[in-house]
Amino acid sequence: MILYWLGMFGIAAFAITGVISSGKRDMDLFSLVVLGMVTSLGGGTIRDVILSVETVYWVKDTSYLWVAAASSVFAFFAVRFIENRQTIFHYADSFGLALFTVVATENVLRLGFSATIAVTMGVITGIAGGIIRDLLSNRAPLVLGREFYATPALLGALFIVLLNDVFPSHPYNAIYATTLIVVLRLFAIHKGLYYPSWLLYKKRAATTEELPHEPRK
Amino acid sequence: MILYWLGMFGIAAFAITGVISSGKRDMDLFSLVVLGMVTSLGGGTIRDVILSVETVYWVKDTSYLWVAAASSVFAFFAVRFIENRQTIFHYADSFGLALFTVVATENVLRLGFSATIAVTMGVITGIAGGIIRDLLSNRAPLVLGREFYATPALLGALFIVLLNDVFPSHPYNAIYATTLIVVLRLFAIHKGLYYPSWLLYKKRAATTEELPHEPRK
Amino acid sequence: MILYWLGMFGIAAFAITGVISSGKRDMDLFSLVVLGMVTSLGGGTIRDVILSVETVYWVKDTSYLWVAAASSVFAFFAVRFIENRQTIFHYADSFGLALFTVVATENVLRLGFSATIAVTMGVITGIAGGIIRDLLSNRAPLVLGREFYATPALLGALFIVLLNDVFPSHPYNAIYATTLIVVLRLFAIHKGLYYPSWLLYKKRAATTEELPHEPRK
């Protein structure tokens, strides 16, 4: 039951990031609602399709659909009164990432898959919606940024697997793991949490510009 | 039977938009055929996968595959003789959007899903192919533009649900709804049909450029 | 058995291209591993989902997951010592394209699908992973470039269908077809293999810049 509500909160959070991220001057209400819904329902849809579940979650229970639509409408009107949209965007994105990763990992475990598959699907579900949003709104995917993004999702997914092992189906496990991801992600945003230098990608002379293919205009 | 032929016309229309949109100087025939096929078959594939149908439509009936391929080849050679490709592009896109939305909505209704799911899948099928095309050819997704795009699809999907309620399985229902979408979309293109101002997204001082993350180059 | 190992090599090759293509200064290890895995597992996932197989290949046999992860980690550390990354990128991409196309075509044939579906799915599997990679790393999709890319995949897929007809399940069929694709692709890269001019797309005065819609910034 807690999982159900956490999932709904995740849907709402991601819908809001979709509207803020894709919003451009003079776009209309319904287009933005569509984009908010794609962002918030996309990750879980990919998870369900890959796991070949019988019915995708929002086809089975249309409340998810309505929560995504209502949150998008709310975000559409609310952003007018918000001064610092990017802060809201990053906070909502952190919550969405955390909630989706944890809920997906625990659900996949309950379906009887191995811990490897559960963690993989948890991370995929957490980051896929944001990647779709960033592609559609022509923003560099957050996961490709310099701060911690995929790593908090991985640590949170591993943490919930561990918690479920030690305290089987304790009702608050999901809340502990969600908190871990959100805290790590907020640290990354505000303190610029990085990896040690030897775990960072280094460029040499050769760059993408030197490709024999024309660069994207 | 009418639905079947309307679906085929939709495939052909979207294949043509795929070729026009992705076509760059000196691209070869087969690459463009692949892109035309992805554009035209993509939306329906996503629909079938989300609804967990037993066999995706073009795997079951390969005529769809051949129509998509033949239309792409036709478009490849025909564009040489066309002066105003963008007009053709927008007309074909409007027809494709209308046909896919209506055919998908009616098919999903017939599979026994609720009106909510039918309308949702209709809109998704209508706009998904175009989104894939626009991402691949690095064009701003039409659905993110300022004119009516997703809204005509929504209205058309709602209209066919209504028609099927009032005149159950009347053979021309699909044609009426298709016409509605095409007319709304052509009005949007030529007259710049907008929403009233309070239903449009407003930017404030904060813009995406002020993100703490590097912008996409 | 040969198919299994060729598939694993394809996973490794594509994982390496994903890391090289998406790598930007200071990106962390795990983000790049995620991108390498998406690149290498993406194409086959799309194939399995479209064919409605019971369990997606890497969910059934997690060795694929581990090979993708290990190759990405290897590529992450190895690129530091490589002078000409773009050459490695194009070579690995050619091998990945060839191996995925051939393995997918033969596997789909064995599942009992027609040659049309087998060739289509072979080409889709071969190019889809690369398209996802190129979209995520904001690189113009290789398939949209001027040299032969989709065509070698098509010819290789047709060749393996032919070979399986003439020499049913000969163990080296897959190796011959893979070699054909790699050779064609390397010719394309080094010699700029083109189609004859009348099979190339010609631009007229009207260009995408004249669209009534704002261009992507």
Side-chain angles (χ1 to χ4, degrees):
Chain A
M1 204 57 198
I2 284 184
L3 272 193
Y4 183 83
W5 287 106
L6 291 180
M8 284 294 178
F9 273 113
I11 298 276
F14 260 129
I16 290 168
T17 69
V19 170
I20 295 180
S21 174
S22 311
K24 285 190 304 193
R25 186 192 299 278
D26 290 341
M27 271 191 62
D28 66 73
L29 174 61
F30 185 62
S31 298
L32 274 169
V33 168
V34 168
L35 289 163
M37 291 172 78
V38 169
T39 302
S40 61
L41 303 173
T45 305
I46 291 176
R47 176 199 61 208
D48 281 2
V49 163
I50 290 181
L51 293 180
S52 317
V53 301
E54 217 175 311
T55 320
V56 169
Y57 70 108
W58 54 265
V59 174
K60 199 185 214 166
D61 176 358
T62 48
S63 339
Y64 289 103
L65 214 55
W66 294 112
V67 167
S71 314
S72 302
V73 171
F74 168 78
F76 180 84
F77 289 109
V79 284
R80 297 176 190 202
F81 307 107
I82 290 171
E83 203 58 55
N84 196 343
R85 289 178 194 179
Q86 292 309 322
T87 309
I88 302 288
F89 170 80
H90 281 292
Y91 279 41
D93 182 77
S94 304
F95 270 96
L97 175 72
L99 291 165
F100 274 19
T101 304
V102 169
V103 172
T105 307
E106 189 150 349
N107 277 334
V108 174
L109 276 181
R110 289 187 185 182
L111 287 173
F113 287 95
S114 67
T116 305
I117 295 297
V119 169
T120 307
M121 296 312 302
V123 174
I124 289 177
T125 309
I127 68 178
I131 288 180
I132 298 172
R133 172 198 65 210
D134 296 341
L135 281 180
L136 287 180
S137 56
N138 200 26
R139 164 201 287 268
L142 282 186
V143 71
L144 286 166
R146 288 181 194 167
E147 299 98 10
F148 261 23
Y149 191 88
T151 304
L154 175 67
L155 294 177
L158 290 172
F159 189 47
I160 188 116
V161 168
L162 184 79
L163 283 175
N164 276 328
D165 220 44
V166 185
F167 312 107
S169 50
H170 189 286
Y172 291 166
N173 285 349
I175 291 174
Y176 299 143
T178 305
T179 310
L180 175 70
I181 299 179
V182 170
V183 168
L184 283 174
R185 187 70 192 121
L186 292 185
F187 256 96
I189 294 171
H190 289 297
K191 305 281 175 192
L193 210 60
Y194 291 161
Y195 270 79
S197 161
W198 65 282
L199 289 178
L200 297 180
Y201 192 81
K202 299 285 180 297
K203 274 261 175 258
R204 289 184 71 136
T207 67
T208 27
E209 277 74 45
E210 297 168 32
L211 266 176
H213 298 273
E214 69 258 60
R216 199 155 187 173
K217 275 159 305 207
Chain B
M1 205 57 198
I2 284 185
L3 273 194
Y4 184 83
W5 287 106
L6 292 179
M8 284 294 177
F9 274 114
I11 298 276
F14 259 129
I16 290 168
T17 69
V19 170
I20 295 181
S21 174
S22 312
K24 284 190 305 194
R25 186 193 300 278
D26 289 341
M27 271 191 63
D28 67 74
L29 174 61
F30 184 63
S31 299
L32 275 169
V33 168
V34 169
L35 289 162
M37 291 173 77
V38 169
T39 301
S40 60
L41 303 172
T45 305
I46 292 176
R47 176 200 62 208
D48 281 2
V49 163
I50 290 180
L51 292 181
S52 316
V53 300
E54 216 175 311
T55 319
V56 169
Y57 70 109
W58 54 266
V59 175
K60 199 188 217 162
D61 177 359
T62 47
S63 338
Y64 289 103
L65 214 56
W66 294 112
V67 167
S71 314
S72 302
V73 171
F74 168 78
F76 180 84
F77 289 109
V79 285
R80 296 176 191 201
F81 308 106
I82 291 170
E83 204 58 54
N84 196 344
R85 290 178 192 178
Q86 292 309 321
T87 310
I88 302 286
F89 171 80
H90 281 292
Y91 278 41
D93 182 77
S94 304
F95 270 97
L97 175 71
L99 291 164
F100 274 19
T101 304
V102 169
V103 172
T105 307
E106 191 151 348
N107 277 334
V108 174
L109 276 180
R110 289 186 184 182
L111 287 173
F113 288 95
S114 66
T116 305
I117 294 297
V119 169
T120 306
M121 295 312 302
V123 174
I124 289 177
T125 309
I127 69 178
I131 288 179
I132 298 172
R133 172 197 65 211
D134 296 341
L135 281 180
L136 287 181
S137 55
N138 201 25
R139 166 201 286 270
L142 282 185
V143 71
L144 286 166
R146 288 178 194 168
E147 299 100 8
F148 262 22
Y149 191 88
T151 305
L154 176 67
L155 295 178
L158 290 172
F159 189 48
I160 187 113
V161 168
L162 185 78
L163 282 175
N164 276 328
D165 220 44
V166 185
F167 312 107
S169 49
H170 188 286
Y172 292 164
N173 285 349
I175 291 173
Y176 300 144
T178 305
T179 310
L180 175 70
I181 299 179
V182 171
V183 167
L184 283 173
R185 186 70 193 123
L186 291 186
F187 256 97
I189 294 172
H190 290 296
K191 305 280 177 194
L193 209 62
Y194 290 161
Y195 270 80
S197 162
W198 65 280
L199 289 178
L200 297 180
Y201 192 82
K202 299 283 181 296
K203 273 261 173 259
R204 292 185 72 136
T207 67
T208 27
E209 277 75 46
E210 297 170 32
L211 266 176
H213 298 273
E214 69 257 60
R216 199 152 186 177
K217 275 159 300 207
Chain C
M1 206 56 197
I2 284 185
L3 273 192
Y4 184 83
W5 287 106
L6 291 180
M8 284 294 177
F9 274 113
I11 298 277
F14 260 130
I16 290 169
T17 69
V19 170
I20 295 181
S21 174
S22 312
K24 284 190 304 193
R25 187 192 298 278
D26 289 342
M27 271 190 63
D28 66 73
L29 173 62
F30 185 62
S31 299
L32 275 170
V33 168
V34 168
L35 290 162
M37 291 173 77
V38 169
T39 301
S40 59
L41 303 173
T45 306
I46 292 176
R47 175 200 62 208
D48 281 1
V49 163
I50 290 180
L51 293 181
S52 315
V53 300
E54 216 175 310
T55 319
V56 169
Y57 71 109
W58 54 265
V59 174
K60 200 189 216 162
D61 176 358
T62 47
S63 338
Y64 289 104
L65 214 56
W66 293 112
V67 168
S71 314
S72 303
V73 171
F74 168 78
F76 179 85
F77 289 108
V79 285
R80 297 176 189 200
F81 308 105
I82 291 171
E83 204 58 56
N84 196 342
R85 290 179 193 177
Q86 292 309 321
T87 309
I88 302 287
F89 171 80
H90 281 293
Y91 279 40
D93 182 77
S94 304
F95 270 96
L97 174 72
L99 291 164
F100 274 18
T101 304
V102 169
V103 172
T105 307
E106 189 151 347
N107 276 334
V108 174
L109 276 180
R110 288 187 183 180
L111 287 173
F113 288 95
S114 66
T116 306
I117 295 297
V119 169
T120 307
M121 295 312 302
V123 174
I124 289 177
T125 309
I127 69 178
I131 288 180
I132 298 173
R133 172 198 66 211
D134 295 341
L135 281 179
L136 288 181
S137 56
N138 200 27
R139 165 201 286 268
L142 281 185
V143 70
L144 286 164
R146 288 178 194 167
E147 299 99 8
F148 262 23
Y149 192 87
T151 304
L154 176 67
L155 294 178
L158 290 172
F159 189 48
I160 188 115
V161 168
L162 184 78
L163 283 175
N164 275 328
D165 220 44
V166 185
F167 312 106
S169 49
H170 189 287
Y172 291 165
N173 285 349
I175 291 175
Y176 300 144
T178 304
T179 310
L180 174 71
I181 300 180
V182 170
V183 167
L184 283 173
R185 186 70 192 123
L186 292 186
F187 257 97
I189 294 173
H190 290 296
K191 305 280 176 192
L193 208 61
Y194 291 161
Y195 270 80
S197 162
W198 65 280
L199 288 178
L200 296 180
Y201 193 82
K202 299 285 180 296
K203 274 262 175 261
R204 291 185 72 134
T207 67
T208 27
E209 278 74 45
E210 296 168 32
L211 266 174
H213 298 273
E214 69 257 59
R216 199 154 187 178
K217 273 159 303 204

